[in-house]
mmCIF file of all heavy atoms in Angstrom:
data_model
loop_
_atom_site.group_PDB
_atom_site.id
_atom_site.type_symbol
_atom_site.label_atom_id
_atom_site.label_comp_id
_atom_site.label_asym_id
_atom_site.label_seq_id
_atom_site.Cartn_x
_atom_site.Cartn_y
_atom_site.Cartn_z
ATOM 1 N N GLU O 1 54.562 -19.083 -57.280
ATOM 2 C CA GLU O 1 54.031 -18.076 -56.360
ATOM 3 C C GLU O 1 54.750 -16.745 -56.598
ATOM 4 O O GLU O 1 55.980 -16.707 -56.721
ATOM 5 C CB GLU O 1 54.237 -18.515 -54.918
ATOM 6 C CG GLU O 1 53.754 -17.491 -53.896
ATOM 7 C CD GLU O 1 54.142 -17.849 -52.478
ATOM 8 O OE1 GLU O 1 54.715 -18.936 -52.266
ATOM 9 O OE2 GLU O 1 53.883 -17.018 -51.584
ATOM 10 N N LEU O 2 53.989 -15.675 -56.664
ATOM 11 C CA LEU O 2 54.559 -14.342 -56.791
ATOM 12 C C LEU O 2 54.697 -13.726 -55.406
ATOM 13 O O LEU O 2 53.791 -13.838 -54.580
ATOM 14 C CB LEU O 2 53.665 -13.452 -57.660
ATOM 15 C CG LEU O 2 53.585 -13.804 -59.148
ATOM 16 C CD1 LEU O 2 52.548 -12.926 -59.837
ATOM 17 C CD2 LEU O 2 54.936 -13.649 -59.829
ATOM 18 N N VAL O 3 55.822 -13.095 -55.169
ATOM 19 C CA VAL O 3 56.036 -12.418 -53.898
ATOM 20 C C VAL O 3 56.266 -10.934 -54.162
ATOM 21 O O VAL O 3 56.842 -10.541 -55.177
ATOM 22 C CB VAL O 3 57.231 -13.014 -53.130
ATOM 23 C CG1 VAL O 3 56.920 -14.415 -52.682
ATOM 24 C CG2 VAL O 3 58.493 -12.994 -53.983
ATOM 25 N N GLU O 4 55.781 -10.128 -53.235
ATOM 26 C CA GLU O 4 55.954 -8.680 -53.347
ATOM 27 C C GLU O 4 57.111 -8.229 -52.465
ATOM 28 O O GLU O 4 57.352 -8.795 -51.395
ATOM 29 C CB GLU O 4 54.673 -7.951 -52.922
ATOM 30 C CG GLU O 4 53.526 -8.118 -53.885
ATOM 31 C CD GLU O 4 52.327 -7.275 -53.498
ATOM 32 O OE1 GLU O 4 52.303 -6.773 -52.349
ATOM 33 O OE2 GLU O 4 51.426 -7.099 -54.332
ATOM 34 N N PHE O 5 57.810 -7.217 -52.920
ATOM 35 C CA PHE O 5 58.896 -6.642 -52.133
ATOM 36 C C PHE O 5 59.120 -5.218 -52.614
ATOM 37 O O PHE O 5 58.726 -4.834 -53.724
ATOM 38 C CB PHE O 5 60.184 -7.471 -52.274
ATOM 39 C CG PHE O 5 60.581 -7.736 -53.700
ATOM 40 C CD1 PHE O 5 61.451 -6.897 -54.364
ATOM 41 C CD2 PHE O 5 60.068 -8.837 -54.381
ATOM 42 C CE1 PHE O 5 61.804 -7.134 -55.673
ATOM 43 C CE2 PHE O 5 60.418 -9.082 -55.695
ATOM 44 C CZ PHE O 5 61.297 -8.223 -56.339
ATOM 45 N N ALA O 6 59.736 -4.441 -51.744
ATOM 46 C CA ALA O 6 60.008 -3.039 -52.066
ATOM 47 C C ALA O 6 61.392 -2.918 -52.697
ATOM 48 O O ALA O 6 62.331 -3.598 -52.288
ATOM 49 C CB ALA O 6 59.923 -2.188 -50.810
ATOM 50 N N VAL O 7 61.497 -2.047 -53.706
ATOM 51 C CA VAL O 7 62.797 -1.752 -54.313
ATOM 52 C C VAL O 7 62.913 -0.241 -54.468
ATOM 53 O O VAL O 7 61.909 0.468 -54.663
ATOM 54 C CB VAL O 7 62.959 -2.429 -55.683
ATOM 55 C CG1 VAL O 7 62.970 -3.939 -55.551
ATOM 56 C CG2 VAL O 7 61.861 -1.992 -56.646
ATOM 57 N N PRO O 8 64.137 0.288 -54.386
ATOM 58 C CA PRO O 8 64.315 1.731 -54.597
ATOM 59 C C PRO O 8 63.984 2.119 -56.036
ATOM 60 O O PRO O 8 64.313 1.396 -56.978
ATOM 61 C CB PRO O 8 65.805 1.950 -54.292
ATOM 62 C CG PRO O 8 66.209 0.787 -53.442
ATOM 63 C CD PRO O 8 65.394 -0.363 -53.939
ATOM 64 N N ALA O 9 63.353 3.261 -56.182
ATOM 65 C CA ALA O 9 63.096 3.803 -57.518
ATOM 66 C C ALA O 9 64.308 4.568 -58.038
ATOM 67 O O ALA O 9 64.372 4.892 -59.218
ATOM 68 C CB ALA O 9 61.868 4.707 -57.483
ATOM 69 N N ARG O 10 65.246 4.840 -57.152
ATOM 70 C CA ARG O 10 66.471 5.559 -57.508
ATOM 71 C C ARG O 10 67.557 5.146 -56.524
ATOM 72 O O ARG O 10 67.283 4.422 -55.563
ATOM 73 C CB ARG O 10 66.247 7.075 -57.416
ATOM 74 C CG ARG O 10 65.880 7.543 -56.015
ATOM 75 C CD ARG O 10 65.743 9.037 -55.904
ATOM 76 N NE ARG O 10 65.453 9.451 -54.533
ATOM 77 C CZ ARG O 10 66.369 9.654 -53.595
ATOM 78 N NH1 ARG O 10 67.665 9.472 -53.887
ATOM 79 N NH2 ARG O 10 66.036 10.031 -52.382
ATOM 80 N N THR O 11 68.772 5.565 -56.776
ATOM 81 C CA THR O 11 69.844 5.287 -55.824
ATOM 82 C C THR O 11 69.631 6.102 -54.554
ATOM 83 O O THR O 11 69.429 7.321 -54.610
ATOM 84 C CB THR O 11 71.217 5.621 -56.431
ATOM 85 O OG1 THR O 11 71.433 4.811 -57.592
ATOM 86 C CG2 THR O 11 72.326 5.359 -55.432
ATOM 87 N N ILE O 12 69.649 5.422 -53.421
ATOM 88 C CA ILE O 12 69.485 6.078 -52.120
ATOM 89 C C ILE O 12 70.835 6.015 -51.415
ATOM 90 O O ILE O 12 71.361 4.934 -51.144
ATOM 91 C CB ILE O 12 68.395 5.404 -51.281
ATOM 92 C CG1 ILE O 12 67.050 5.444 -52.028
ATOM 93 C CG2 ILE O 12 68.264 6.068 -49.918
ATOM 94 C CD1 ILE O 12 65.932 4.696 -51.337
ATOM 95 N N GLY O 13 71.427 7.172 -51.137
ATOM 96 C CA GLY O 13 72.749 7.227 -50.533
ATOM 97 C C GLY O 13 72.746 6.870 -49.062
ATOM 98 O O GLY O 13 71.711 6.935 -48.378
ATOM 99 N N ARG O 14 73.925 6.507 -48.560
ATOM 100 C CA ARG O 14 74.052 6.159 -47.153
ATOM 101 C C ARG O 14 73.654 7.339 -46.273
ATOM 102 O O ARG O 14 74.047 8.489 -46.513
ATOM 103 C CB ARG O 14 75.500 5.768 -46.828
ATOM 104 C CG ARG O 14 75.675 5.326 -45.377
ATOM 105 C CD ARG O 14 77.125 5.156 -45.006
ATOM 106 N NE ARG O 14 77.256 4.719 -43.631
ATOM 107 C CZ ARG O 14 77.090 5.495 -42.557
ATOM 108 N NH1 ARG O 14 76.803 6.783 -42.699
ATOM 109 N NH2 ARG O 14 77.214 4.996 -41.333
ATOM 110 N N GLY O 15 72.844 7.081 -45.258
ATOM 111 C CA GLY O 15 72.389 8.107 -44.341
ATOM 112 C C GLY O 15 71.191 8.886 -44.839
ATOM 113 O O GLY O 15 70.586 9.652 -44.077
ATOM 114 N N GLU O 16 70.787 8.668 -46.097
ATOM 115 C CA GLU O 16 69.641 9.407 -46.647
ATOM 116 C C GLU O 16 68.340 8.802 -46.123
ATOM 117 O O GLU O 16 68.170 7.577 -46.084
ATOM 118 C CB GLU O 16 69.678 9.343 -48.174
ATOM 119 C CG GLU O 16 68.690 10.269 -48.854
ATOM 120 C CD GLU O 16 68.879 10.286 -50.360
ATOM 121 O OE1 GLU O 16 69.860 9.689 -50.849
ATOM 122 O OE2 GLU O 16 68.035 10.903 -51.042
ATOM 123 N N VAL O 17 67.439 9.661 -45.708
ATOM 124 C CA VAL O 17 66.152 9.202 -45.181
ATOM 125 C C VAL O 17 65.262 8.765 -46.338
ATOM 126 O O VAL O 17 65.124 9.472 -47.342
ATOM 127 C CB VAL O 17 65.471 10.308 -44.359
ATOM 128 C CG1 VAL O 17 64.096 9.842 -43.872
ATOM 129 C CG2 VAL O 17 66.347 10.682 -43.170
ATOM 130 N N VAL O 18 64.660 7.596 -46.198
ATOM 131 C CA VAL O 18 63.827 7.024 -47.250
ATOM 132 C C VAL O 18 62.422 7.619 -47.190
ATOM 133 O O VAL O 18 61.777 7.620 -46.140
ATOM 134 C CB VAL O 18 63.749 5.484 -47.105
ATOM 135 C CG1 VAL O 18 62.847 4.892 -48.190
ATOM 136 C CG2 VAL O 18 65.144 4.869 -47.166
ATOM 137 N N ARG O 19 61.942 8.081 -48.346
ATOM 138 C CA ARG O 19 60.573 8.602 -48.476
ATOM 139 C C ARG O 19 59.730 7.613 -49.283
ATOM 140 O O ARG O 19 60.271 6.775 -49.996
ATOM 141 C CB ARG O 19 60.583 9.958 -49.169
ATOM 142 C CG ARG O 19 61.384 11.032 -48.436
ATOM 143 C CD ARG O 19 61.547 12.256 -49.316
ATOM 144 N NE ARG O 19 62.292 11.924 -50.534
ATOM 145 C CZ ARG O 19 62.549 12.795 -51.514
ATOM 146 N NH1 ARG O 19 62.107 14.032 -51.424
ATOM 147 N NH2 ARG O 19 63.230 12.403 -52.574
ATOM 148 N N ALA O 20 58.426 7.755 -49.180
ATOM 149 C CA ALA O 20 57.538 6.849 -49.913
ATOM 150 C C ALA O 20 57.769 6.942 -51.417
ATOM 151 O O ALA O 20 57.694 5.939 -52.134
ATOM 152 C CB ALA O 20 56.077 7.165 -49.578
ATOM 153 N N SER O 21 58.062 8.128 -51.901
ATOM 154 C CA SER O 21 58.282 8.313 -53.340
ATOM 155 C C SER O 21 59.592 7.691 -53.812
ATOM 156 O O SER O 21 59.822 7.580 -55.014
ATOM 157 C CB SER O 21 58.268 9.805 -53.690
ATOM 158 O OG SER O 21 59.271 10.496 -52.968
ATOM 159 N N ASP O 22 60.453 7.293 -52.875
ATOM 160 C CA ASP O 22 61.731 6.678 -53.241
ATOM 161 C C ASP O 22 61.591 5.189 -53.533
ATOM 162 O O ASP O 22 62.543 4.561 -54.017
ATOM 163 C CB ASP O 22 62.753 6.849 -52.112
ATOM 164 C CG ASP O 22 63.137 8.312 -51.893
ATOM 165 O OD1 ASP O 22 63.120 9.074 -52.877
ATOM 166 O OD2 ASP O 22 63.448 8.672 -50.740
ATOM 167 N N LEU O 23 60.423 4.602 -53.219
ATOM 168 C CA LEU O 23 60.253 3.158 -53.332
ATOM 169 C C LEU O 23 59.095 2.794 -54.243
ATOM 170 O O LEU O 23 58.135 3.561 -54.395
ATOM 171 C CB LEU O 23 60.003 2.541 -51.950
ATOM 172 C CG LEU O 23 61.072 2.769 -50.872
ATOM 173 C CD1 LEU O 23 60.588 2.181 -49.557
ATOM 174 C CD2 LEU O 23 62.403 2.174 -51.279
ATOM 175 N N VAL O 24 59.179 1.619 -54.844
ATOM 176 C CA VAL O 24 58.063 1.028 -55.592
ATOM 177 C C VAL O 24 57.945 -0.431 -55.152
ATOM 178 O O VAL O 24 58.910 -1.028 -54.671
ATOM 179 C CB VAL O 24 58.265 1.095 -57.119
ATOM 180 C CG1 VAL O 24 58.238 2.532 -57.597
ATOM 181 C CG2 VAL O 24 59.572 0.424 -57.532
ATOM 182 N N ILE O 25 56.746 -0.991 -55.299
ATOM 183 C CA ILE O 25 56.529 -2.395 -54.965
ATOM 184 C C ILE O 25 56.654 -3.227 -56.235
ATOM 185 O O ILE O 25 55.983 -2.972 -57.229
ATOM 186 C CB ILE O 25 55.141 -2.610 -54.327
ATOM 187 C CG1 ILE O 25 55.046 -1.832 -53.014
ATOM 188 C CG2 ILE O 25 54.903 -4.098 -54.078
ATOM 189 C CD1 ILE O 25 56.043 -2.270 -51.957
ATOM 190 N N ASP O 26 57.548 -4.206 -56.194
ATOM 191 C CA ASP O 26 57.751 -5.107 -57.325
ATOM 192 C C ASP O 26 57.173 -6.465 -56.973
ATOM 193 O O ASP O 26 56.911 -6.766 -55.806
ATOM 194 C CB ASP O 26 59.249 -5.219 -57.631
ATOM 195 C CG ASP O 26 59.509 -5.740 -59.042
ATOM 196 O OD1 ASP O 26 58.531 -6.075 -59.742
ATOM 197 O OD2 ASP O 26 60.694 -5.808 -59.438
ATOM 198 N N ARG O 27 56.976 -7.297 -57.994
ATOM 199 C CA ARG O 27 56.408 -8.633 -57.781
ATOM 200 C C ARG O 27 57.085 -9.595 -58.751
ATOM 201 O O ARG O 27 57.099 -9.370 -59.950
ATOM 202 C CB ARG O 27 54.898 -8.596 -58.018
ATOM 203 C CG ARG O 27 54.224 -9.947 -57.900
ATOM 204 C CD ARG O 27 52.756 -9.866 -58.214
ATOM 205 N NE ARG O 27 51.988 -9.318 -57.113
ATOM 206 C CZ ARG O 27 50.663 -9.315 -57.074
ATOM 207 N NH1 ARG O 27 49.978 -9.808 -58.081
ATOM 208 N NH2 ARG O 27 50.034 -8.809 -56.032
ATOM 209 N N LYS O 28 57.658 -10.668 -58.215
ATOM 210 C CA LYS O 28 58.358 -11.652 -59.038
ATOM 211 C C LYS O 28 58.104 -13.052 -58.488
ATOM 212 O O LYS O 28 57.762 -13.215 -57.314
ATOM 213 C CB LYS O 28 59.871 -11.384 -59.067
ATOM 214 C CG LYS O 28 60.273 -10.111 -59.803
ATOM 215 C CD LYS O 28 61.782 -10.008 -59.925
ATOM 216 C CE LYS O 28 62.218 -8.698 -60.545
ATOM 217 N NZ LYS O 28 61.672 -8.468 -61.861
ATOM 218 N N PRO O 29 58.305 -14.084 -59.351
ATOM 219 C CA PRO O 29 58.188 -15.459 -58.849
ATOM 220 C C PRO O 29 59.205 -15.718 -57.748
ATOM 221 O O PRO O 29 60.363 -15.323 -57.845
ATOM 222 C CB PRO O 29 58.486 -16.315 -60.093
ATOM 223 C CG PRO O 29 58.159 -15.430 -61.251
ATOM 224 C CD PRO O 29 58.514 -14.039 -60.808
ATOM 225 N N ARG O 30 58.745 -16.429 -56.725
ATOM 226 C CA ARG O 30 59.613 -16.660 -55.574
ATOM 227 C C ARG O 30 60.887 -17.406 -55.961
ATOM 228 O O ARG O 30 61.973 -17.114 -55.444
ATOM 229 C CB ARG O 30 58.850 -17.446 -54.502
ATOM 230 C CG ARG O 30 59.669 -17.704 -53.248
ATOM 231 C CD ARG O 30 58.889 -18.505 -52.223
ATOM 232 N NE ARG O 30 57.784 -17.754 -51.661
ATOM 233 C CZ ARG O 30 57.905 -16.860 -50.678
ATOM 234 N NH1 ARG O 30 59.094 -16.612 -50.161
ATOM 235 N NH2 ARG O 30 56.847 -16.233 -50.218
ATOM 236 N N ASN O 31 60.782 -18.358 -56.885
ATOM 237 C CA ASN O 31 61.966 -19.163 -57.202
ATOM 238 C C ASN O 31 63.011 -18.406 -58.014
ATOM 239 O O ASN O 31 64.090 -18.924 -58.271
ATOM 240 C CB ASN O 31 61.560 -20.445 -57.946
ATOM 241 C CG ASN O 31 60.928 -20.158 -59.303
ATOM 242 O OD1 ASN O 31 60.605 -19.020 -59.625
ATOM 243 N ND2 ASN O 31 60.748 -21.193 -60.089
ATOM 244 N N THR O 32 62.697 -17.181 -58.447
ATOM 245 C CA THR O 32 63.694 -16.378 -59.159
ATOM 246 C C THR O 32 64.413 -15.424 -58.216
ATOM 247 O O THR O 32 65.253 -14.650 -58.651
ATOM 248 C CB THR O 32 63.037 -15.557 -60.291
ATOM 249 O OG1 THR O 32 62.152 -14.573 -59.721
ATOM 250 C CG2 THR O 32 62.270 -16.451 -61.234
ATOM 251 N N LEU O 33 64.076 -15.486 -56.927
ATOM 252 C CA LEU O 33 64.663 -14.565 -55.957
ATOM 253 C C LEU O 33 65.322 -15.343 -54.822
ATOM 254 O O LEU O 33 64.868 -15.308 -53.676
ATOM 255 C CB LEU O 33 63.590 -13.623 -55.399
ATOM 256 C CG LEU O 33 62.914 -12.717 -56.420
ATOM 257 C CD1 LEU O 33 61.682 -12.073 -55.817
ATOM 258 C CD2 LEU O 33 63.881 -11.654 -56.908
ATOM 259 N N PRO O 34 66.393 -16.062 -55.116
ATOM 260 C CA PRO O 34 67.031 -16.858 -54.054
ATOM 261 C C PRO O 34 67.627 -16.005 -52.951
ATOM 262 O O PRO O 34 67.889 -16.488 -51.858
ATOM 263 C CB PRO O 34 68.130 -17.619 -54.817
ATOM 264 C CG PRO O 34 68.404 -16.776 -56.027
ATOM 265 C CD PRO O 34 67.080 -16.177 -56.397
ATOM 266 N N MET O 35 67.852 -14.698 -53.240
ATOM 267 C CA MET O 35 68.467 -13.848 -52.213
ATOM 268 C C MET O 35 67.466 -13.348 -51.185
ATOM 269 O O MET O 35 67.843 -12.745 -50.199
ATOM 270 C CB MET O 35 69.162 -12.646 -52.874
ATOM 271 C CG MET O 35 68.219 -11.547 -53.399
ATOM 272 S SD MET O 35 67.219 -12.050 -54.821
ATOM 273 C CE MET O 35 68.523 -12.250 -56.042
ATOM 274 N N MET O 36 66.177 -13.597 -51.403
ATOM 275 C CA MET O 36 65.174 -13.113 -50.459
ATOM 276 C C MET O 36 65.270 -13.875 -49.144
ATOM 277 O O MET O 36 65.418 -15.095 -49.114
ATOM 278 C CB MET O 36 63.775 -13.246 -51.039
ATOM 279 C CG MET O 36 63.454 -12.197 -52.096
ATOM 280 S SD MET O 36 61.674 -12.073 -52.403
ATOM 281 C CE MET O 36 61.105 -11.378 -50.864
ATOM 282 N N THR O 37 65.195 -13.156 -48.040
ATOM 283 C CA THR O 37 65.249 -13.749 -46.709
ATOM 284 C C THR O 37 64.058 -13.241 -45.904
ATOM 285 O O THR O 37 63.261 -12.422 -46.381
ATOM 286 C CB THR O 37 66.564 -13.367 -45.999
ATOM 287 O OG1 THR O 37 66.618 -11.929 -45.867
ATOM 288 C CG2 THR O 37 67.768 -13.846 -46.796
ATOM 289 N N ALA O 38 63.985 -13.720 -44.673
ATOM 290 C CA ALA O 38 62.861 -13.342 -43.822
ATOM 291 C C ALA O 38 62.849 -11.851 -43.517
ATOM 292 O O ALA O 38 61.789 -11.292 -43.213
ATOM 293 C CB ALA O 38 62.896 -14.140 -42.518
ATOM 294 N N ASP O 39 64.007 -11.186 -43.595
ATOM 295 C CA ASP O 39 64.043 -9.762 -43.266
ATOM 296 C C ASP O 39 64.085 -8.878 -44.515
ATOM 297 O O ASP O 39 64.379 -7.688 -44.415
ATOM 298 C CB ASP O 39 65.231 -9.442 -42.356
ATOM 299 C CG ASP O 39 66.580 -9.694 -43.043
ATOM 300 O OD1 ASP O 39 66.597 -10.389 -44.070
ATOM 301 O OD2 ASP O 39 67.595 -9.198 -42.527
ATOM 302 N N THR O 40 63.754 -9.451 -45.692
ATOM 303 C CA THR O 40 63.645 -8.623 -46.895
ATOM 304 C C THR O 40 62.498 -7.632 -46.722
ATOM 305 O O THR O 40 61.416 -7.994 -46.252
ATOM 306 C CB THR O 40 63.399 -9.497 -48.134
ATOM 307 O OG1 THR O 40 64.534 -10.341 -48.342
ATOM 308 C CG2 THR O 40 63.189 -8.644 -49.387
ATOM 309 N N VAL O 41 62.716 -6.404 -47.106
ATOM 310 C CA VAL O 41 61.685 -5.371 -46.978
ATOM 311 C C VAL O 41 60.605 -5.620 -48.028
ATOM 312 O O VAL O 41 60.887 -5.634 -49.233
ATOM 313 C CB VAL O 41 62.291 -3.967 -47.157
ATOM 314 C CG1 VAL O 41 61.191 -2.898 -47.134
ATOM 315 C CG2 VAL O 41 63.315 -3.688 -46.056
#
């Protein structure tokens, strides 16, 4: 199963407001992402 999640397109510093252009949607097999949790963006 492939799951979608958001990842930064660049380094986002602490306190920096996130814009739509700062993120991209990635897709990977679920079993390759053991760190994914229910609150993953």
Side-chain angles (χ1 to χ4, degrees):
E1 178 188 355
L2 291 174
V3 292
E4 290 186 346
F5 52 93
V7 295
R10 61 176 183 85
T11 299
I12 301 175
R14 183 189 181 285
E16 190 173 353
V17 177
V18 179
R19 300 170 298 178
S21 59
D22 294 329
L23 302 175
V24 293
I25 298 298
D26 199 356
R27 177 183 282 190
K28 292 187 185 302
R30 181 181 292 279
N31 64 349
T32 66
L33 298 167
M35 74 292 293
M36 285 197 68
T37 61
D39 64 344
T40 296
V41 175

